Amino acid sequence: MMRSIIHSVCVIFISLFVSCTNRDKTDFKSTKVDFSEITHINQSDGRIVKLETTDNSLIYDICNFNVHQDTFVVHSRNFLYTFTSTGNFIGSISQKGHATNEYLQISNVFFENGTVGLYDFSKNTILRFNLKGKLLSVQRCDISEEDIKPFHIYPWNNGYIVLNSYGGESTDRKTLCFLNKELTSGKPIKGRSLSTGFSTYDDISINQKGNVLYWEMLCDTLFTIHNDLLTPLFAIDFGEHALPDDMARKDVYERIDYVNKAKERGKPFAGMARYYQRVDHMIYFSCVSPNNEILLCQYNEDKGTTRLFTIDFDNKQYTTAPFFLIKDHLVYWEIRDKDNLSLNPDLFIFNLDYILSHTEHTKIKKSA
């Protein structure tokens, strides 16, 4: 019998996947998000691909996703599946277990030249597979440095970028570090230290030029690596709907409670920027609007301005989700069937040119 999946913005996107240090006081550039101006994308401007729902292909939210030729690879928490480009289920890439070609805990997934890599935090090992699930290599992470304990590992240049795991209040463990390609030694990246053990499946984005973006949940600042230093790139100003400064200094559980109850207090929350991706001179990310809708955002690095996008569905049965991927000039945006949330998520696919060329803004009533 298929599992029932409870879908709620507050539950799925906060309670299950929270990480953050306190929101930064910044003296660098910021961009203001204006929720009174949103560009509406019509359903006819793209297409919907339904990811087949079977007993063997059940998905929660999409944590990572990639496209290789006619195959979709979907990472959903501790599952890693393949689908055809029309949404038909193909099968699993590995499964949970103790065997050499199995994993105990998928910490993060990455993609390289038609192969799939997963980092198993429990085994401290990188497993690489082809799209048919054949094991290609096993690489164990043997780091002797006490200040490096990988939680997420991403290929970068001739080595890796690593998000460390929390070492406790008595340890000043840097947030990120470099590792060599053999996974035997590394160097902490100065500029930011971990202050909590909470983490998400998404936290780092690396484009084809090797530019690194790093972010934290409930933290409205985007970071990058510059001269081997983790530094703020820009801050997002969500205005009156942002997490208040006094609340940002409280512990993570109090912040979760504040966000979940913000609407009840008559001051809807907006923010929770995620899934940043840099494409040319634009940075894209998703966020939650004051009326609890997931929007796609486009930040222009040259102008310092941000635009917001939503989708108008013909039959109104879909709702947007935080995950999206931009690849080969196509946008793959996760959507959910509001009438049957036990079904797998679907994908709304449209051409990036629509966003780049569409200059007309549809006005909507500003949230209270």
Side-chain angles (χ1 to χ4, degrees), residues 342-353:
S342 65
L343 295 176
N344 278 347
D346 300 325
L347 294 166
F348 181 72
I349 306 172
F350 62 98
N351 199 298
L352 184 62
D353 285 340

Side-chain angles (χ1 to χ4, degrees), residues 128-146:
R128 286 182 172 84
F129 300 88
N130 67 14
L131 296 183
K132 295 183 179 180
K134 179 182 178 181
L135 181 66
L136 302 177
S137 67
V138 178
Q139 188 177 16
R140 181 170 174 79
C141 183
D142 290 314
I143 301 294
S144 59
E145 289 93 336
E146 293 184 359

Side-chain angles (χ1 to χ4, degrees), residues 54-100:
T54 70
D55 287 335
N56 296 319
S57 69
L58 292 176
I59 290 174
Y60 296 96
D61 45 322
I62 297 178
C63 301
N64 205 344
F65 172 87
N66 203 3
V67 184
H68 183 73
Q69 297 178 353
D70 293 327
T71 301
F72 290 167
V73 183
V74 179
H75 167 215
S76 179
R77 306 190 197 181
N78 220 26
F79 299 101
L80 191 54
Y81 296 140
T82 54
F83 296 81
T84 67
S85 58
T86 57
N88 295 326
F89 178 60
I90 299 174
S92 300
I93 296 180
S94 188
Q95 59 186 356
K96 188 174 182 179
H98 291 274
T100 303

Side-chain angles (χ1 to χ4, degrees), residues 176-206:
L176 302 183
C177 64
F178 299 115
L179 287 188
N180 63 358
K181 63 180 180 180
E182 293 82 15
L183 297 178
T184 56
S185 65
K187 181 179 71 171
I189 299 173
K190 297 180 179 179
R192 193 165 182 81
S193 300
L194 291 166
S195 63
T196 175
F198 287 87
S199 186
T200 63
Y201 283 109
D202 65 289
D203 44 50
I204 294 176
S205 173
I206 305 173

Side-chain angles (χ1 to χ4, degrees), residues 8 13 34 54 88 117 128 130 158 168 193 208-209 226 236-237 252 268 274 291 311 319-320 349:
S8 164
F13 305 139
D34 184 0
T54 70
N88 295 326
R128 286 182 172 84
N130 67 14
N158 197 32
S193 300
Q208 293 181 341
K209 296 181 179 180
H226 181 67
I236 308 171
D237 181 5
V252 65
R274 300 179 66 184
N291 61 359
I311 304 171
T319 182
T320 51
I349 306 172

